[in-house]
Amino acid sequence: QVQLVESGGGSVQAGGSLRLSCAASTRTFANYVLAWFRQAPGKEREFVASIYWSGATTIPPDSMKGRFTISRDNAKNTVYLQMNSLKPEDTAVYYCAGRDRGAQKYNYWGQGTQVTVST
């Protein structure tokens, strides 16, 4: 059982950076695989990145590779998404998600945080 709360969203100009944070309310943070998803209006939810308890990460989709980096600090029960060189098409609600290490689906979700990138 874990509760996830995102923060760090906001409005930035193209080329700017943001760091999103996801605070997890749990005493077993290391037991969860954490991920970031995003969803733009009228579009399907899109996977951004995931990170395992060991710190191993997935490679983001090509549109975000090299610009977005996921990390986690188990001591602080927090997962981060560093977003650089932001583009207008990055505008979306960004969600933090979690799953048990042995689970196949992400069954814990935060409420999301809005990221808006303007030209």
Side-chain angles (χ1 to χ4, degrees):
Q1 184 69 36
V2 59
Q3 292 179 299
L4 306 172
V5 180
E6 303 95 335
S7 63
S11 298
V12 298
Q13 292 186 337
S17 298
L18 283 174
R19 189 182 72 163
L20 306 184
S21 298
C22 174
S25 298
T26 178
R27 295 184 179 182
T28 56
F29 183 70
N31 292 342
Y32 295 92
V33 180
L34 279 301
W36 288 97
F37 293 79
R38 70 183 187 183
Q39 187 169 23
K43 298 183 179 180
E44 296 183 354
R45 185 168 293 177
E46 178 184 23
F47 173 82
V48 175
S50 65
I51 184 166
Y52 286 76
W53 62 271
S54 65
T57 61
T58 61
I59 300 175
D62 288 341
S63 63
M64 291 170 273
K65 184 180 180 180
R67 300 188 299 116
F68 289 12
T69 303
I70 190 172
S71 62
R72 68 190 288 169
D73 187 336
N74 291 341
K76 296 181 179 180
N77 283 15
T78 302
V79 63
Y80 305 96
L81 182 67
Q82 179 67 46
M83 304 185 294
N84 299 323
S85 301
L86 284 163
K87 304 175 181 179
E89 51 263 42
D90 295 320
T91 295
V93 176
Y94 285 72
Y95 296 92
C96 181
R99 64 173 174 88
D100 295 317
R101 290 159 58 184
Q104 299 299 314
K105 298 180 178 180
Y106 289 92
N107 56 339
Y108 304 105
W109 294 85
Q111 293 298 112
T113 184
Q114 177 71 48
V115 172
T116 302
V117 184
S118 63
T119 57

